[in-house]
Amino acid sequence: MKRSNNPAGTNPGRTRREALGLLGASAALLGAAQRSAFAQGSDDVLTEALVLRDPDVPSTGNSEGDINIVEWFDYNCPYCRKIAPEIQQVVQDDGNVRLVLKDWPILGEVSKFGARIALAARYQDKYMAAHEAMIGVSSRLTEPRIRELLAGAGIDMDRLNRDATTNAKAIDTILARNHDQAMAFGFKGTPSFIVGKFRVPGILTMAEFEMVIADARKAKKTN
């Protein structure tokens, strides 16, 4: 399932209070969601550590940033593709944000193939190259198109195929963990986010992301 609209609108003249008010449930403090989704046991896949800092999940931006943006996305989601450059710009402009990329392939078998092959590219330190190649296209992906894009991004395809096969179980475990976390947070489609302590199940404009980041920092200081 994917989002069919921007729940926040795009009026750049709104104040932060007005924008977050219009977002409604789309930008809510984790609160009860955090208590139900983050388990206390260190072995549970839904601990705060695994949601925010899963060592098997790729991240970009400032690794020591004071705010995490966690995105659940699908390479065949047009809204994920549309918002990707805007999120990257927000992360770059802010300079103190860490972006966590949770592959959540919910739009069919090609989406699952894309997620698995992207995670396999990590074994040759090429996840971001694979991610950017796939998230940067404007048309629906197919398996042959994915292979073409990744080869064009300088990824060793023979090694990629070997790594995808050899590490299939580990990759599927990551995807299952991402899915379980998304379900625990009540996300219905892609893209969905956690920004600091805010749950954002939908897309925002760059200005609205900046607003939520600012409010996440304020919330962090009060705890």
Side-chain angles (χ1 to χ4, degrees):
M1 177 181 177
K2 56 181 180 290
R3 296 282 160 191
S4 59
N5 65 328
N6 180 347
T10 58
N11 184 351
R14 290 200 301 267
T15 65
R16 178 179 295 125
R17 181 179 297 276
E18 287 170 340
L20 290 178
L22 285 171
L23 288 173
S26 291
L29 277 170
L30 289 178
Q34 187 179 39
R35 289 193 293 274
S36 63
F38 290 165
Q40 297 301 313
S42 61
D43 294 331
D44 196 289
V45 298
L46 299 180
T47 62
E48 182 172 355
L50 281 179
V51 172
L52 300 182
R53 293 192 176 273
D54 187 332
D56 296 323
V57 169
S59 64
T60 187
N62 185 345
S63 61
E64 303 299 324
D66 67 335
I67 293 295
N68 290 293
I69 296 178
V70 187
E71 179 185 8
W72 282 260
F73 67 93
D74 186 305
Y75 286 114
N76 255 331
C77 167
Y79 303 102
C80 299
R81 294 196 294 257
K82 179 180 183 296
I83 203 171
E86 298 177 1
I87 298 171
Q88 288 290 352
Q89 190 65 53
V90 168
V91 170
Q92 180 179 325
D93 290 349
D94 183 281
N96 204 23
V97 170
R98 176 173 168 268
L99 175 62
V100 182
L101 297 167
K102 302 260 188 182
D103 290 86
W104 188 25
I106 56 175
L107 297 176
E109 292 304 312
V110 173
S111 293
K112 292 176 184 177
F113 174 78
R116 289 185 179 115
I117 213 73
L119 290 170
R122 291 186 71 229
Y123 293 93
Q124 55 179 293
D125 295 323
K126 294 283 189 176
Y127 176 86
M128 287 308 300
H131 174 78
E132 290 170 2
M134 287 188 282
I135 208 72
V137 299
S138 58
S139 58
R140 190 167 182 83
L141 293 169
T142 63
E143 185 172 328
R145 179 61 173 149
I146 288 172
R147 293 189 181 280
E148 178 186 3
L149 289 167
L150 269 54
I155 294 171
D156 182 335
M157 298 304 291
D158 289 336
R159 178 176 176 182
L160 186 67
N161 292 332
R162 291 195 304 270
D163 286 338
T165 300
T166 302
N167 301 287
K169 184 175 180 180
I171 290 169
D172 283 346
T173 297
I174 294 168
L175 294 177
R177 193 155 63 230
N178 291 350
H179 173 79
D180 288 346
Q181 292 166 355
M183 292 295 96
F185 281 115
F187 295 144
K188 304 299 184 182
T190 56
S192 291
F193 303 88
I194 289 174
V195 181
K197 289 190 173 183
F198 289 94
R199 186 178 66 89
V200 185
I203 60 176
L204 305 181
T205 66
M206 287 178 64
E208 288 160 352
F209 264 115
E210 291 167 356
M211 291 176 185
V212 179
I213 290 168
D215 281 289
R217 287 197 171 106
K218 288 183 179 179
K220 186 176 180 180
K221 289 179 180 179
T222 62
N223 291 338

